[in-house]
Amino acid sequence: MAEAGPFGGFERAVAARYLLARKGERFVSVIAGFSLVGIALGVATLIVVLSVMGGFRQELLGRILGLNGQLGISAAQGTLPDDPALVARLRALPEVAQAAAVVEGQVLLTTDAGASAGGLVRGIAPEDLRAKRIIADNIKAGDLARFQGEDAIVIGTGLARRLDIGLGDRVTLVSPQGRVTVFGTVPRLRAYRVVALFEVGMEEYDSGFVFLPLAAAQLFFQMPHAVSQIEVYLKQADRSAEAAGAIRVALAGEPVRIADWQDANGGFFQLVQVQRNVMFLILTLIILVAAFNIVSSLTMLVKDKGRDIAILRTMGARRGAILRIFLLCGAAIGGAGTLAGLGLGLLFCANIEAIRQWLMRLTGTTVFDPNVYFLTRIPAVVDPFEVAQVVGLGLLLSLLATLPPSWRAARLDPVEALRDE
């Protein structure tokens, strides 16, 4: 028998015949099926975990930078002057997308019903708050057009639930820095009316941030004609170091400090990246274990087909043809498992939030607690490059797992095989 070409019709036909077990040969097919399922689950799990962790990082990064900016400029000592010209100089830089003066301070929020909660007040110009898309695009009640004057306040939905207040209700702010009178230190407090509720999807911000008009915040914190810092939003967040250098040049002679978002949050995002890499290694072991099942199933197949291999060899089939037959068997199992895992993983990622809600209704428990994970929903961002890596990894491990039993089948001595039969 002349040897067929690489993965020709002869090899494909024999490999398909071996994979479609007849009566009495089901055990090998069962093991091959478990191998296929194992690879599919490993690939799907790896895709889902990488997508969720990538989405977790992207969502956190977007919300943190959307509210705080990439750079924060503060005075070396004390406060910055409320100078529109200074903000205009920053906005004129080519690296800067937006700059806003901010007054910031911790307060205690109380209601007439006796509820109280701590919060962070940010005083900001109404037009600058409307320019914050993460706030302006996530207003759940009210209107930012009413965010003006000396008694307007915007709070998060989480904080509103804790205080049991809604749109139009009044909330009193109490500053820890009291004012000195002839009767001693008196806490500074003032009531404001809620004009809008926002929900950015990050529990820490929805339950802790409060916005006041800049003039009202300056009056409350007794900072006339001064601000705490200037928030700078860049056109490219990953070029914050270069932008900080350009700002230092533009503000030459000004005694300021520039805080980079990577310095303030770099440790947190580095931890997320380390966890992601560790999970990748751990879940790769699932695919590796499933690949070892391919070794066992093909080894049993080679032993079961010893007589057939010997007959093919005596009819003229060379060792290369036998090697390719069993390579095709293992590659079919690994390839089918990898493709099934790819489809399952992508389907799970596309419906992950619906699955979470279904599990919560089914079990009556909280899945993905926002107080622990900061986000109110499970994010999943599928990276095509990462998916290609996972698919390539599944195919590579499957192919490597087929080599030992395929090599053993190709080296089988037909005389010894027929003698054993």
Side-chain angles (χ1 to χ4, degrees):
M1 178 187 295
E3 184 178 0
F7 301 115
F10 167 66
E11 286 91 349
R12 292 196 299 271
V14 176
R17 170 66 186 81
Y18 285 171
L19 288 174
L20 300 176
R22 295 177 299 178
K23 185 178 180 180
E25 301 175 347
R26 301 290 185 186
F27 186 66
V28 175
S29 294
V30 170
I31 296 178
F34 278 121
S35 304
L36 188 150
V37 172
I39 290 177
L41 291 178
V43 169
T45 303
L46 193 51
I47 290 175
V48 171
V49 169
L50 290 179
S51 298
V52 169
M53 298 197 75
F56 186 77
R57 183 183 186 279
Q58 181 172 314
E59 289 289 322
L60 283 179
L61 185 61
R63 282 160 172 74
I64 290 174
L65 298 186
L67 276 174
N68 300 293
Q70 288 82 25
L71 296 175
I73 302 175
S74 58
Q77 291 183 348
T79 60
L80 283 174
D82 184 11
D83 185 1
L86 178 62
V87 176
R89 285 163 59 190
L90 294 173
R91 290 175 177 172
L93 296 176
E95 298 88 352
V96 175
Q98 177 65 11
V102 173
V103 170
E104 190 173 89
Q106 294 283 347
V107 298
L108 176 67
L109 294 91
T110 64
T111 65
D112 295 338
S116 62
L120 178 69
V121 169
R122 282 197 169 179
I124 186 171
E127 60 274 13
D128 290 334
L129 183 62
R130 287 190 286 269
K132 283 181 181 282
R133 303 315 310 169
I134 192 171
I135 298 293
D137 294 341
N138 291 284
I139 296 297
K140 299 302 180 182
D143 190 353
L144 289 182
R146 300 172 59 190
F147 181 69
Q148 55 186 342
E150 295 184 357
D151 65 342
I153 190 171
V154 175
I155 67 174
T157 54
L159 186 58
R161 285 192 297 268
R162 290 171 60 186
L163 297 174
D164 193 22
I165 59 176
L167 191 65
D169 292 338
R170 300 192 74 84
V171 60
T172 300
L173 303 189
V174 182
S175 173
Q177 298 177 347
R179 51 191 178 90
V180 179
T181 67
V182 294
F183 301 102
T185 303
V186 178
R188 189 185 317 129
L189 52 88
R190 180 162 183 173
Y192 297 87
R193 186 174 299 279
V194 178
V195 299
L197 300 175
F198 67 87
E199 183 176 316
V200 300
M202 190 167 177
E203 188 68 17
E204 182 180 1
Y205 294 148
D206 292 338
S207 298
F209 269 49
V210 172
F211 291 96
L212 289 177
L214 182 60
Q218 289 173 328
L219 180 63
F220 180 76
F221 289 108
Q222 295 183 348
M223 297 174 57
H225 310 295
V227 295
S228 302
Q229 65 172 342
I230 298 175
E231 292 179 343
V232 178
Y233 297 84
L234 304 178
K235 296 177 181 178
Q236 294 180 303
D238 56 347
R239 296 181 60 86
S240 57
E242 294 85 344
I247 290 174
R248 287 191 180 93
V249 173
L251 301 181
E254 298 284 349
V256 298
R257 292 182 300 178
I258 301 178
D260 192 330
W261 73 270
Q262 297 185 22
D263 297 333
N265 304 282
F268 176 78
F269 288 106
Q270 186 176 9
L271 177 61
V272 172
Q273 184 64 32
V274 170
Q275 290 178 335
R276 182 173 173 277
N277 294 337
V278 172
M279 291 300 297
F280 181 87
L281 293 176
I282 293 174
L283 295 174
T284 300
L285 296 179
I286 299 178
I287 304 178
L288 187 60
V289 170
F292 277 116
N293 288 336
I294 295 180
V295 176
S296 61
S297 62
L298 284 185
T299 300
M300 295 185 65
L301 182 63
V302 169
K303 188 172 181 62
D304 185 64
K305 300 297 182 181
R307 180 172 177 271
D308 294 359
I309 295 172
I311 293 174
L312 289 174
R313 290 293 311 280
T314 57
M315 293 177 63
R318 297 183 180 179
R319 289 178 175 176
I322 302 300
L323 177 69
R324 289 191 291 271
I325 288 172
F326 286 95
L327 281 177
L328 278 174
C329 290
I333 297 172
T338 301
L339 293 178
L342 172 63
L344 181 63
L346 295 178
L347 182 65
F348 195 97
C349 289
N351 299 277
I352 191 167
E353 183 60 23
I355 294 173
R356 183 182 79 95
Q357 297 292 341
W358 176 77
L359 287 175
M360 290 176 61
R361 290 193 298 268
L362 181 66
T363 62
T365 59
T366 300
V367 179
F368 198 79
D369 189 351
N371 293 319
V372 177
Y373 298 102
F374 302 107
L375 302 178
T376 56
R377 65 181 184 85
I378 300 179
V381 177
V382 178
D383 186 341
F385 179 71
E386 289 182 344
V387 172
Q389 282 184 316
V390 174
V391 171
L393 179 64
L395 294 175
L396 177 62
L397 292 178
S398 301
L399 181 61
L400 292 177
T402 63
L403 291 177
S406 300
W407 179 257
R408 182 173 179 272
R411 303 296 297 178
L412 188 66
D413 188 348
V415 176
E416 293 294 332
L418 291 175
R419 179 184 299 169
D420 292 339
E421 289 292 336

